[in-house]
Amino acid sequence: MKESACSLMISRSLRKFTDETKNSYKMNETILPHTDLQNIDETMLSSLEAFSQYRNVSAEKKAEFLEAIAIEIESLGDEVINIASRETNLPEGRLTGERGRTCMQLRLFADMVKEGSWVEASVDTADAGRKPLPKADIRKMLIPLGPVVVFGSSNFPFAFSTAGGDTASALATGCSVVVKAHPGHSETSKLVAGAIRKAIEKCNMPTGVFQHIDASGFGAESFEIGKQLVQHPATAAVAFTGSLSGGKALYGYAHERQVPIPVFAEMGSINPVVFLPETLKKNPDSLAKMYAGSITLGMGQFCTNPGLMIAIESESLTAFQQKLVTEISAFQSAKMLHDGIQQNYTEKLRKALEQKGVDLITAAKEQSNGPDSDASIASVNADTFLKNPLLREEIFGPFSLIVKCQNEEELKQVWLSLPGQLTTCVMGTDEDFLQHKELINSAFQLAGRIIFNQAPTGVEVCASMIHGGPYPATTDSRFTSVGTTAAKRWVRPLCFQNCPEFLLPAELKNANPKKIWRIVNEKMYNGDVA
């Protein structure tokens, strides 16, 4: 397919290409071989050209497109579930539920687009008679940023990957999307990308509005692709879910650009849990059962896994610990997502257990060389914990560390010594909460979500959910990657002053002053984890 005049104009403004590169690229191709670094230029320019068209597509058509993607993903049937299970070692039941969540998210954003108030349109009409100076007509709304690069996550092959929340929210706002598939589930990603391509054709959307880059390896070339995608002049924003090192690298690439762009990276968390005295005294067995389930759920491969438990030393804490060990010991080892994750878990766990004062309290088992791994619980006193920064690092897998404190002041020191978190949990009775209000209030700056009397491994997809938090949990604590407000990452406000009516966007052709944004009444989904 020949390049359009628009594409040539964009090409000249961004980068001069060789004739060889131009002739070797097919603009209609939506799967980019992971070895073909030269094609990244053309991929991003195609995405930019598609954005220039897609941003003007009506809300009804965008919603229809999102709904069509959901239908096409569902039509993949058992094949995509079976392939995802083979690639990730995740059970079919979990993957079926995650696919359901993914399709629900797409429809949720379709509903948001149709409802319309997400653009936060506001209108301040002119007042020529105002004294001492007349007032101009001023109108404002949110507009899409441009092409968004999405990096698929390892632990959610559907909900945080090719057609996940990042892609759905970006498409909903009018942005085009380029997805770099995670190499841990490359075949699954290709199937989902094919479903999106079918929806593009059926809905007559611009061909380049969604593009997919295969990534079948973890090597240096994959990192180079990531760097080029982030640093390409056409890229307007980046979404990433993964490790701290990976998120920091992408963030660094973005700020090396001549024009920096936002990188919304969710980089994990140890999700500290505070057990207050009265609830430990009354409920040690039920609390232990709850947290054994949370720690081992999905082999602990969730960014909200409770990796740290903090409590004041007591007979109640001893009883809780004993019950927790019993529950954990009954847990059957299983395969992790892939060998790399298992090896990283084993190495980080080994380093933690080698630290002075750290005691393994579950039965020590020999770790296998394959993707199988066992759950582990360790303990340490507060003084030792506070002196050792390594113990604040996330161990991605079925592990949690109990920190034993002498008193409330020491507990507070441990809690507030932690860096930014996605979640923090407070377990207590009403009496506990009343007696420790100051302690609880002191933790509000710690996390994006404070959870009372529930385990952290559950994320409700709704308007009120925040899946984010202060650095290093994310690169920007003002935003979320779950729920409809995730769309706010891909937009900016634009003001129209004294603009002729015929040039105004449809959303601003409303004379009612200060139309206030309303949160869409969303469908709820129970039981998701992240």
Side-chain angles (χ1 to χ4, degrees), residues 313-330:
E313 285 199 85
S314 65
E315 292 181 2
S316 301
L317 177 58
T318 300
F320 165 79
Q321 179 177 299
Q322 290 172 344
K323 180 63 175 177
L324 182 65
V325 168
T326 299
E327 294 286 344
I328 291 290
S329 298

PDB file of all heavy atoms in Angstrom, residues 313-330:
ATOM      1  N   GLU A 313       4.444  -7.885  69.057  1.00  0.00           N
ATOM      2  CA  GLU A 313       4.663  -9.209  69.641  1.00  0.00           C
ATOM      3  C   GLU A 313       3.679  -9.478  70.769  1.00  0.00           C
ATOM      4  O   GLU A 313       3.443  -8.627  71.625  1.00  0.00           O
ATOM      5  CB  GLU A 313       6.088  -9.339  70.158  1.00  0.00           C
ATOM      6  CG  GLU A 313       7.116  -9.528  69.049  1.00  0.00           C
ATOM      7  CD  GLU A 313       8.412 -10.106  69.583  1.00  0.00           C
ATOM      8  OE1 GLU A 313       8.515 -11.342  69.699  1.00  0.00           O
ATOM      9  OE2 GLU A 313       9.317  -9.305  69.886  1.00  0.00           O
ATOM     10  N   SER A 314       3.099 -10.695  70.743  1.00  0.00           N
ATOM     11  CA  SER A 314       2.124 -11.092  71.759  1.00  0.00           C
ATOM     12  C   SER A 314       1.852 -12.577  71.587  1.00  0.00           C
ATOM     13  O   SER A 314       2.250 -13.199  70.595  1.00  0.00           O
ATOM     14  CB  SER A 314       0.821 -10.303  71.601  1.00  0.00           C
ATOM     15  OG  SER A 314       0.200 -10.629  70.364  1.00  0.00           O
ATOM     16  N   GLU A 315       1.139 -13.145  72.553  1.00  0.00           N
ATOM     17  CA  GLU A 315       0.707 -14.533  72.420  1.00  0.00           C
ATOM     18  C   GLU A 315      -0.218 -14.693  71.221  1.00  0.00           C
ATOM     19  O   GLU A 315      -0.213 -15.730  70.539  1.00  0.00           O
ATOM     20  CB  GLU A 315       0.006 -14.994  73.702  1.00  0.00           C
ATOM     21  CG  GLU A 315       0.931 -15.110  74.917  1.00  0.00           C
ATOM     22  CD  GLU A 315       0.186 -15.584  76.152  1.00  0.00           C
ATOM     23  OE1 GLU A 315      -1.037 -15.853  76.039  1.00  0.00           O
ATOM     24  OE2 GLU A 315       0.823 -15.694  77.224  1.00  0.00           O
ATOM     25  N   SER A 316      -0.996 -13.670  70.959  1.00  0.00           N
ATOM     26  CA  SER A 316      -1.919 -13.705  69.819  1.00  0.00           C
ATOM     27  C   SER A 316      -1.159 -13.764  68.500  1.00  0.00           C
ATOM     28  O   SER A 316      -1.550 -14.487  67.574  1.00  0.00           O
ATOM     29  CB  SER A 316      -2.834 -12.482  69.841  1.00  0.00           C
ATOM     30  OG  SER A 316      -3.575 -12.429  71.041  1.00  0.00           O
ATOM     31  N   LEU A 317      -0.084 -12.997  68.402  1.00  0.00           N
ATOM     32  CA  LEU A 317       0.732 -13.034  67.190  1.00  0.00           C
ATOM     33  C   LEU A 317       1.355 -14.418  67.021  1.00  0.00           C
ATOM     34  O   LEU A 317       1.423 -14.948  65.906  1.00  0.00           O
ATOM     35  CB  LEU A 317       1.818 -11.958  67.234  1.00  0.00           C
ATOM     36  CG  LEU A 317       2.794 -11.946  66.046  1.00  0.00           C
ATOM     37  CD1 LEU A 317       2.047 -11.761  64.730  1.00  0.00           C
ATOM     38  CD2 LEU A 317       3.849 -10.844  66.226  1.00  0.00           C
ATOM     39  N   THR A 318       1.807 -15.024  68.109  1.00  0.00           N
ATOM     40  CA  THR A 318       2.381 -16.371  68.051  1.00  0.00           C
ATOM     41  C   THR A 318       1.345 -17.368  67.546  1.00  0.00           C
ATOM     42  O   THR A 318       1.636 -18.228  66.701  1.00  0.00           O
ATOM     43  CB  THR A 318       2.892 -16.800  69.440  1.00  0.00           C
ATOM     44  OG1 THR A 318       3.885 -15.881  69.867  1.00  0.00           O
ATOM     45  CG2 THR A 318       3.476 -18.201  69.384  1.00  0.00           C
ATOM     46  N   ALA A 319       0.113 -17.253  68.050  1.00  0.00           N
ATOM     47  CA  ALA A 319      -0.960 -18.144  67.605  1.00  0.00           C
ATOM     48  C   ALA A 319      -1.260 -17.945  66.123  1.00  0.00           C
ATOM     49  O   ALA A 319      -1.467 -18.918  65.374  1.00  0.00           O
ATOM     50  CB  ALA A 319      -2.208 -17.900  68.441  1.00  0.00           C
ATOM     51  N   PHE A 320      -1.297 -16.696  65.694  1.00  0.00           N
ATOM     52  CA  PHE A 320      -1.523 -16.384  64.278  1.00  0.00           C
ATOM     53  C   PHE A 320      -0.413 -16.997  63.425  1.00  0.00           C
ATOM     54  O   PHE A 320      -0.675 -17.623  62.392  1.00  0.00           O
ATOM     55  CB  PHE A 320      -1.571 -14.870  64.085  1.00  0.00           C
ATOM     56  CG  PHE A 320      -1.439 -14.421  62.662  1.00  0.00           C
ATOM     57  CD1 PHE A 320      -2.526 -14.472  61.795  1.00  0.00           C
ATOM     58  CD2 PHE A 320      -0.230 -13.944  62.164  1.00  0.00           C
ATOM     59  CE1 PHE A 320      -2.405 -14.064  60.469  1.00  0.00           C
ATOM     60  CE2 PHE A 320      -0.098 -13.534  60.854  1.00  0.00           C
ATOM     61  CZ  PHE A 320      -1.186 -13.595  60.003  1.00  0.00           C
ATOM     62  N   GLN A 321       0.814 -16.807  63.851  1.00  0.00           N
ATOM     63  CA  GLN A 321       1.957 -17.306  63.099  1.00  0.00           C
ATOM     64  C   GLN A 321       1.906 -18.829  62.968  1.00  0.00           C
ATOM     65  O   GLN A 321       2.148 -19.379  61.882  1.00  0.00           O
ATOM     66  CB  GLN A 321       3.254 -16.870  63.786  1.00  0.00           C
ATOM     67  CG  GLN A 321       4.521 -17.354  63.100  1.00  0.00           C
ATOM     68  CD  GLN A 321       5.762 -16.829  63.799  1.00  0.00           C
ATOM     69  OE1 GLN A 321       5.967 -15.610  63.876  1.00  0.00           O
ATOM     70  NE2 GLN A 321       6.592 -17.728  64.299  1.00  0.00           N
ATOM     71  N   GLN A 322       1.586 -19.508  64.055  1.00  0.00           N
ATOM     72  CA  GLN A 322       1.522 -20.971  64.029  1.00  0.00           C
ATOM     73  C   GLN A 322       0.446 -21.464  63.070  1.00  0.00           C
ATOM     74  O   GLN A 322       0.648 -22.416  62.307  1.00  0.00           O
ATOM     75  CB  GLN A 322       1.268 -21.501  65.444  1.00  0.00           C
ATOM     76  CG  GLN A 322       2.461 -21.328  66.389  1.00  0.00           C
ATOM     77  CD  GLN A 322       2.117 -21.691  67.824  1.00  0.00           C
ATOM     78  OE1 GLN A 322       0.941 -21.800  68.198  1.00  0.00           O
ATOM     79  NE2 GLN A 322       3.144 -21.862  68.647  1.00  0.00           N
ATOM     80  N   LYS A 323      -0.708 -20.818  63.105  1.00  0.00           N
ATOM     81  CA  LYS A 323      -1.791 -21.200  62.205  1.00  0.00           C
ATOM     82  C   LYS A 323      -1.420 -20.897  60.756  1.00  0.00           C
ATOM     83  O   LYS A 323      -1.723 -21.680  59.835  1.00  0.00           O
ATOM     84  CB  LYS A 323      -3.071 -20.464  62.590  1.00  0.00           C
ATOM     85  CG  LYS A 323      -4.278 -20.788  61.721  1.00  0.00           C
ATOM     86  CD  LYS A 323      -4.688 -22.241  61.828  1.00  0.00           C
ATOM     87  CE  LYS A 323      -5.962 -22.502  61.049  1.00  0.00           C
ATOM     88  NZ  LYS A 323      -6.369 -23.929  61.077  1.00  0.00           N
ATOM     89  N   LEU A 324      -0.746 -19.777  60.524  1.00  0.00           N
ATOM     90  CA  LEU A 324      -0.325 -19.401  59.177  1.00  0.00           C
ATOM     91  C   LEU A 324       0.639 -20.444  58.618  1.00  0.00           C
ATOM     92  O   LEU A 324       0.526 -20.843  57.444  1.00  0.00           O
ATOM     93  CB  LEU A 324       0.330 -18.021  59.201  1.00  0.00           C
ATOM     94  CG  LEU A 324       0.789 -17.465  57.850  1.00  0.00           C
ATOM     95  CD1 LEU A 324      -0.403 -17.206  56.934  1.00  0.00           C
ATOM     96  CD2 LEU A 324       1.586 -16.170  58.045  1.00  0.00           C
ATOM     97  N   VAL A 325       1.592 -20.881  59.441  1.00  0.00           N
ATOM     98  CA  VAL A 325       2.554 -21.892  59.008  1.00  0.00           C
ATOM     99  C   VAL A 325       1.826 -23.186  58.640  1.00  0.00           C
ATOM    100  O   VAL A 325       2.139 -23.832  57.625  1.00  0.00           O
ATOM    101  CB  VAL A 325       3.609 -22.145  60.100  1.00  0.00           C
ATOM    102  CG1 VAL A 325       4.434 -23.390  59.782  1.00  0.00           C
ATOM    103  CG2 VAL A 325       4.514 -20.934  60.255  1.00  0.00           C
ATOM    104  N   THR A 326       0.840 -23.568  59.439  1.00  0.00           N
ATOM    105  CA  THR A 326       0.062 -24.778  59.155  1.00  0.00           C
ATOM    106  C   THR A 326      -0.648 -24.655  57.810  1.00  0.00           C
ATOM    107  O   THR A 326      -0.636 -25.590  56.987  1.00  0.00           O
ATOM    108  CB  THR A 326      -0.971 -25.027  60.271  1.00  0.00           C
ATOM    109  OG1 THR A 326      -0.288 -25.202  61.510  1.00  0.00           O
ATOM    110  CG2 THR A 326      -1.805 -26.256  59.966  1.00  0.00           C
ATOM    111  N   GLU A 327      -1.269 -23.504  57.572  1.00  0.00           N
ATOM    112  CA  GLU A 327      -2.004 -23.288  56.319  1.00  0.00           C
ATOM    113  C   GLU A 327      -1.053 -23.278  55.122  1.00  0.00           C
ATOM    114  O   GLU A 327      -1.336 -23.877  54.080  1.00  0.00           O
ATOM    115  CB  GLU A 327      -2.777 -21.972  56.383  1.00  0.00           C
ATOM    116  CG  GLU A 327      -3.902 -21.940  57.406  1.00  0.00           C
ATOM    117  CD  GLU A 327      -5.113 -22.738  56.978  1.00  0.00           C
ATOM    118  OE1 GLU A 327      -5.222 -23.073  55.784  1.00  0.00           O
ATOM    119  OE2 GLU A 327      -5.960 -23.043  57.839  1.00  0.00           O
ATOM    120  N   ILE A 328       0.079 -22.599  55.273  1.00  0.00           N
ATOM    121  CA  ILE A 328       1.045 -22.497  54.177  1.00  0.00           C
ATOM    122  C   ILE A 328       1.652 -23.861  53.876  1.00  0.00           C
ATOM    123  O   ILE A 328       1.906 -24.217  52.715  1.00  0.00           O
ATOM    124  CB  ILE A 328       2.152 -21.473  54.517  1.00  0.00           C
ATOM    125  CG1 ILE A 328       1.584 -20.048  54.547  1.00  0.00           C
ATOM    126  CG2 ILE A 328       3.314 -21.564  53.527  1.00  0.00           C
ATOM    127  CD1 ILE A 328       1.193 -19.482  53.207  1.00  0.00           C
ATOM    128  N   SER A 329       1.910 -24.636  54.901  1.00  0.00           N
ATOM    129  CA  SER A 329       2.523 -25.958  54.713  1.00  0.00           C
ATOM    130  C   SER A 329       1.628 -26.894  53.921  1.00  0.00           C
ATOM    131  O   SER A 329       2.116 -27.833  53.276  1.00  0.00           O
ATOM    132  CB  SER A 329       2.854 -26.577  56.076  1.00  0.00           C
ATOM    133  OG  SER A 329       3.799 -25.784  56.770  1.00  0.00           O
ATOM    134  N   ALA A 330       0.329 -26.646  53.956  1.00  0.00           N
ATOM    135  CA  ALA A 330      -0.603 -27.477  53.198  1.00  0.00           C
ATOM    136  C   ALA A 330      -0.676 -27.073  51.727  1.00  0.00           C
ATOM    137  O   ALA A 330      -1.290 -27.770  50.911  1.00  0.00           O
ATOM    138  CB  ALA A 330      -1.998 -27.383  53.821  1.00  0.00           C
TER     139      ALA A 330
END
